[in-house]
Amino acid sequence: MNFLIKLLISAIIVFALSHFLPGVHVTDLKAALLVAIVLGLLNTFLKPVLVFLTIPATLITLGLFLLIINAVIILICDYFIPEFQVDGFLTALFFSVLLSISQSILNKIFVSDK
């Protein structure tokens, strides 16, 4: 049940950010839900591989390289979903930071830890 709540929260945040953040375009709520699903899959399966492969860069930058990895995952999601478009790398970086912060806050409010 918590998984569905987190998925819905992510979809709503993606949809809202696309309306307020220039350079991020989502056609409708269905596309935002698809983006949330694909981001969840990419974060589950691809992100650990990218983090492992970039351990030296992550250590040198004291963890800031993880922001770059998040932006790359957003751009990969943009590649796979035609209804989702991000205009550039900096937009993807800003979008990923806002998405992560929003998810943290709303998951803390709405998702139980039981």
Side-chain angles (χ1 to χ4, degrees):
M1 185 66 178
N2 283 344
F3 172 74
L4 293 176
I5 295 171
K6 286 182 179 183
L7 190 64
L8 187 59
I9 288 171
S10 295
I12 291 169
I13 294 169
V14 166
F15 191 68
L17 285 176
S18 72
H19 281 78
F20 295 112
L21 188 62
V24 178
H25 312 283
V26 176
T27 56
D28 56 4
L29 197 53
K30 180 183 161 191
L33 186 59
L34 185 61
V35 169
I37 291 170
V38 171
L39 280 177
L41 291 171
L42 288 172
N43 282 329
T44 301
F45 297 110
L46 182 63
K47 187 174 181 178
V49 174
L50 292 176
V51 168
F52 178 74
L53 292 175
T54 60
I55 287 174
T58 304
L59 291 175
I60 290 171
T61 62
L62 302 174
L64 289 176
F65 195 76
L66 294 173
L67 295 172
I68 304 300
I69 292 173
N70 286 341
V72 167
I73 289 191
I74 296 292
L75 292 173
I76 291 170
C77 187
D78 171 31
Y79 177 77
F80 284 120
I81 302 173
E83 298 91 1
F84 176 61
Q85 182 182 4
V86 179
D87 289 345
F89 180 78
L90 287 177
T91 305
L93 181 66
F94 194 54
F95 177 78
S96 71
V97 169
L98 290 176
L99 181 65
S100 296
I101 291 170
S102 303
Q103 283 175 330
S104 263
I105 293 169
L106 292 178
N107 284 337
K108 198 71 154 169
I109 294 170
F110 292 109
V111 178
S112 66
D113 292 335
K114 294 179 184 179

